[in-house]
C-alpha cells in the first residue's frame, strides 16, 4: 500500500516554480548522483530505514534535487513511506519534482526568501498545518547544514515538527571532526588549497604570466577571497552543531565519522561549475568587477583549477574525504 497523505494535502502545490522550465544549474548539480563521493548518502538511507518503515513520513529538509529521496524510495523497505522535500531553491525543487513526478509518495514545499525581512521562511510558514498536526516521524538534512545562516531557528523548527521520539538524521562533509580518519580531507577545504596552488602556478608558469600582476594587487585578491568564502563557507567544528542540537532539545543518539573516496575528475567536474567562486580572480569575478569574465578567462580558470588539483592531490586519481553523521532524537 502506498503512503497516505492527510486529507486535502496537495503533495505538489499549484505554484509557479512547479511549472517553471528546468534549469541547467540544477541539472549540473544532479550529476553528482553518479559521483563516487555521493556514496555519502548511502549510510543516511541505511540509518533512516533501520528505524523508519511503513507509514513513516520523512521531511527531506534541503532535499535539493531529490537524490536522497530517490535513493531511499528505491529501496523495497521504503514502500509504504512518504517524503516531503523542502528546499530554498526553486530550481532544485523543480528538478526534484521532474525526477519523481510519478511517485505519489513524494511531496514538495519551497522555502521562500522574504525580501522585506531579509530572511528565509521558517518551517512553520512552509509546511501545511495538516502535517504539523500529524507530526513528522523523521527529518533528514544531507550535505547542507554547513550552509545554514540561521542554524538555531532551523533546528528548532525540526524539533517542533517531529513527533516525540522522532529522529533527525543529519550529515555533512564540511564539519571539522577529530574522529575523522587521518589523511582525509574536508571536501570544501580543497578549494582553499586549490586557490593557493593556483597562485603558485600563476607565479611560476609562463603560460599564466598574463595573470601575474593581479597577485600583487592585495585589494583585488582580498575581494576575491571574500567571494570564495561566500561560495564555500568557513568550516565549523562538530561541537558547534552538537551544541545547536542540544540547545533545541534533541538528545544526540550518535555522531559518527565516515570516509569516502572521491575521484579527482568528479570533484573537478563539480567545482568547475563554480569557477567564479574558486578562481574568480582569473579574469575577475562579475560580482566584483561588474563585468562577466570572457569565455577565454573561464577556460583558463578551469585549466588552472585542474592543474592545481593535480598539484594538491599529488597527481593521484582519488582522494579521501570525511563525512560526519548525527542522529538526534526528540
Ligand atoms: C549541496 S545541496 C544538497 C542537496 C541534497 N540534500 C543532497 O544531499 O543531494 C544543499 C541544499 O541546501 C539547500 N539550502 C541551502 N541553504 C538552505 C537553508 N538555509 N534552508 C534550507 N535549505 C537550504 C540548497 O538549496 C541545496 O538544495
Amino acid at each position: 500500500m502506498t503512503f497516505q497523505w492527510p486529507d486535502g494535502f496537495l503533495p505538489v502545490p499549484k505554484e509557479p516554480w512547479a511549472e517553471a522550465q528546468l534549469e541547467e544549474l540544477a541539472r549540473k548539480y544532479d550529476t553528482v548522483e553518479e559521483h563516487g563521493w555521493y556514496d555519502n548518502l548511502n549510510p543516511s538511507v541505511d540509518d533512516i530505514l533501520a528505524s523508519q518503515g511503513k507509514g513513516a513520513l520523512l521531511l527531506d529538509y534541503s532535499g535539493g534535487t531529490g537524490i536522497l529521496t530517490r535513493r531511499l524510495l528505491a529501496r523495497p523497505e521504503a514502500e509504504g513511506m512518504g517524503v516531503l522535500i523542502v528546499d530554498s531553491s526553486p530550481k532544485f525543487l523543480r528538478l526534484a519534482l521532474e525526477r519523481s513526478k510519478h511517485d505519489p509518495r513524494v511531496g514538495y514545499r519551497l522555502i521562500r526568501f522574504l525580501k522585506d525581512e531579509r530572511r528565509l521562511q521558517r518551517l512553520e510558514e512552509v509546511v501545511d498545518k495538516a502535517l504539523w498536526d500529524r507530526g513528522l516521524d523523521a527529518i533528514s538534512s544531507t550535505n547542507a547544514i554547513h550552509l545554514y545562516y540561521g542554524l538555531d531557528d532551523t533546528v528548532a523548527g525540526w524539533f517542533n515538527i517531529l513527533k516525540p521520539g522522532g529522529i533527525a538524521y543529519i550529515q555533512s562533509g564540511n564539519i571539522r571532526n577529530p574522529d575523522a580518519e587521518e589523511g582525509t580531507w574536508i571536501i570544501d577545504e580543497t578549494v582553499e588549497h586549490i586557490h593557493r596552488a593556483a597562485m603558485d602556478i600563476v607565479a611560476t608558469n609562463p603560460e599564466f604570466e598574463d595573470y601575474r600582476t593581479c597577485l600583487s594587487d592585495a585589494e583585488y585578491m582580498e575581494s576575491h577571497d571574500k567571494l570564495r568564502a561566500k561560495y564555500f563557507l568557513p568550516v565549523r567544528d562538530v561541537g558547534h552543531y552538537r551544541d545547536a542540537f542540544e540547545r533545541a532539545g534533541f538528545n544526540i543518539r550518535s555522531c559518527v565519522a565516515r570516509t569516502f573516496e572521491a575521484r579527482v575528475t568528479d570533484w573537478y567536474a563539480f567545482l568547475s561549475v563554480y569557477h567564479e567562486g574558486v578562481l574568480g580572480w582569473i579574469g575577475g569575478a562579475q560580482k566584483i568587477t561588474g563585468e562577466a569574465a570572457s569565455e577565454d578567462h573561464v577556460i583558463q580558470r578551469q585549466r588552472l583549477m585542474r592543474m592545481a588539483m593535480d598539484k594538491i592531490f599529488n597527481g593521484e586519481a582519488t582522494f579521501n574525504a570525511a563525512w560526519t553523521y548525527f542522529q538526534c532524537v526528540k
Side-chain angles (χ1 to χ4, degrees):
M1 208 182 76
T2 192
F3 179 77
Q4 284 295 313
W5 294 100
D7 283 346
F9 176 79
L10 279 183
V12 183
K14 290 188 173 52
E15 291 173 2
W17 69 263
E19 278 146 35
Q21 293 266 320
L22 292 174
E23 295 263 356
E24 193 52 25
L25 179 74
R27 280 191 204 273
K28 280 195 179 149
Y29 189 87
D30 206 47
T31 59
V32 295
E33 190 164 12
E34 279 121 49
H35 292 182
W37 58 276
Y38 240 63
D39 283 356
N40 69 69
L41 291 184
N42 298 343
S44 302
V45 169
D46 290 338
D47 287 349
I48 294 167
L49 290 176
S51 35
Q52 310 292 330
K54 211 163 258 166
L57 177 54
L58 170 80
L59 177 73
D60 185 4
Y61 191 88
S62 303
T65 59
I67 305 177
L68 173 82
T69 293
R70 293 197 294 279
R71 277 195 198 175
L72 179 82
L73 294 180
R75 294 271 294 265
E77 311 96 286
E79 198 198 328
M81 284 179 66
V83 180
L84 182 71
I85 303 180
V86 171
D87 200 276
S88 55
S89 162
K91 298 173 186 173
F92 279 24
L93 205 55
R94 174 69 187 88
L95 186 61
L97 168 60
E98 187 67 17
R99 302 286 309 270
S100 297
K101 63 185 171 196
H102 300 302
D103 192 336
R105 296 171 294 178
V106 188
Y108 310 83
R109 288 295 180 266
L110 175 67
I111 304 174
R112 291 187 174 72
F113 183 72
L114 305 176
K115 278 201 190 116
D116 293 347
E117 299 175 47
R118 303 185 64 209
R119 66 169 179 94
L120 286 172
Q121 286 180 305
R122 287 186 285 269
L123 200 54
E124 60 265 36
E125 298 168 302
V126 169
V127 175
D128 311 46
K129 185 169 178 302
L131 294 187
W132 282 86
D133 293 346
R134 178 199 184 279
L136 271 291
D137 301 279
I139 290 183
S140 56
S141 163
T142 60
N143 296 309
I145 197 167
H146 55 280
L147 301 171
Y148 303 163
Y149 283 100
L151 181 63
D152 276 334
D153 277 351
T154 304
V155 177
W158 296 349
F159 187 84
N160 292 339
I161 203 170
L162 278 173
K163 292 176 181 171
I167 306 175
Y169 305 86
I170 303 126
Q171 57 98 312
S172 165
N174 288 305
I175 295 179
R176 196 173 313 287
N177 187 342
D179 293 339
E181 216 181 301
E182 229 183 283
T184 50
W185 286 86
I186 290 178
I187 196 140
D188 277 7
E189 278 190 350
T190 59
V191 169
E192 195 56 30
H193 290 258
I194 291 167
H195 156 70
R196 284 191 219 140
M199 288 201 297
D200 284 347
I201 296 170
V202 168
T204 53
N205 185 328
E207 281 180 62
F208 293 97
E209 67 182 341
D210 288 354
Y211 296 110
R212 221 165 267 169
T213 48
C214 72
L215 293 179
S216 47
D217 184 341
E219 201 184 320
Y220 176 86
M221 292 306 282
E222 219 172 273
S223 55
H224 285 89
D225 290 346
K226 283 190 187 140
L227 181 67
R228 198 165 55 256
K230 278 190 185 155
Y231 274 85
F232 302 94
L233 301 176
V235 174
R236 311 268 198 169
D237 277 359
V238 70
H240 172 76
Y241 298 100
R242 199 186 274 280
D243 291 350
F245 301 144
E246 286 178 343
R247 267 198 304 277
F250 280 111
N251 283 317
I252 299 174
R253 176 156 98 168
S254 61
C255 174
V256 181
R258 296 186 170 101
T259 302
F260 296 90
E261 189 178 77
R263 279 192 299 272
V264 175
T265 48
D266 286 345
W267 187 229
Y268 168 73
F270 177 85
L271 281 185
S272 62
V273 176
Y274 303 98
H275 54 81
E276 181 170 270
V278 185
L279 295 179
W281 51 274
I282 295 291
Q286 183 169 15
K287 288 193 177 95
I288 290 162
T289 62
E291 231 177 274
S294 69
E295 207 173 305
D296 190 45
H297 287 316
V298 172
I299 291 169
Q300 295 294 44
R301 277 178 194 165
Q302 291 173 331
R303 254 189 82 225
L304 184 58
M305 191 188 297
R306 192 67 189 79
M307 288 165 78
M309 287 174 101
D310 275 343
K311 206 167 151 142
I312 69 165
F313 297 124
N314 305 314
E316 302 277 345
T318 62
F319 65 97
N320 286 333
W323 255 252
T324 297
Y325 295 75
F326 287 99
Q327 289 189 41
C328 302
V329 185
K330 173 166 174 176

